[in-house]
Amino acid sequence: MPEATTVRTTSGTGVQLAADYFHGYAVVGLLAAIGVIFVAVAFGAGRLLRPVVPTPEKLLTYECGVDPVGEGWAHTQIRYYVYAFLYVIFAVDSIFLFPWATVFAAPGFGAATLVEMFIFLGFLAVGLLYAWKKGVLEWT
């Protein structure tokens, strides 16, 4: 008979652990559902409260207070996008320097963290060298 009590206790503990485990996910799921409902209510209220009076003037393409002239297609230099892309790459990569600095300051992580950061900076240097060799960094 004592074995059955032990089995029930173990089973009860397992069920309790599972309940605790899924409780965290339930909280996240509930917050996500509340967020979706909040956005849906906001969009629905906006749709119900706004005036809808379509006129030909309102249906025209509008940009910066200038009346549209010509076609909707305009040629844009790709080099501006390349500069923006390079900036984003190096800005995001520089974000990794802050967590590295905090780990580097922790006792026992100095040498390994320093080697990892130089490997990371090496990858950045290779990317920058590649961009320079391709002529991406020349403003013409």
Side-chain angles (χ1 to χ4, degrees):
M1 200 67 168
E3 291 178 17
T5 307
T6 306
V7 171
R8 286 183 187 161
T9 306
T10 306
S11 175
T13 305
V15 170
Q16 182 62 32
L17 287 175
D20 290 342
Y21 178 76
F22 288 115
H23 177 70
Y25 285 110
V27 171
V28 172
L30 180 65
L31 287 175
I34 289 172
V36 168
I37 291 170
F38 181 74
V39 170
V41 168
F43 276 119
R47 185 176 182 111
L48 290 175
L49 296 175
R50 72 175 177 234
V52 180
V53 184
T55 62
E57 291 82 19
K58 288 183 180 179
L59 298 176
L60 283 177
T61 304
Y62 176 80
E63 183 176 350
C64 300
V66 178
D67 291 331
V69 177
E71 298 178 19
W73 178 257
H75 182 70
T76 306
Q77 294 291 332
I78 190 67
R79 66 176 172 236
Y80 301 122
Y81 294 111
V82 172
Y83 286 114
F85 185 65
L86 284 173
Y87 171 76
V88 167
I89 288 173
F90 287 102
V92 169
D93 289 340
S94 66
I95 291 172
F96 290 115
L97 293 175
F98 294 108
W100 170 76
T102 58
V103 170
F104 183 69
F109 291 103
T113 307
L114 187 65
V115 169
E116 289 173 359
M117 184 47 64
F118 275 113
I119 291 171
F120 176 72
L121 292 175
F123 281 121
L124 288 181
V126 168
L128 187 60
L129 181 65
Y130 177 78
W132 177 65
K133 285 288 195 182
K134 286 291 188 179
V136 172
L137 302 177
E138 295 177 10
W139 187 274
T140 57

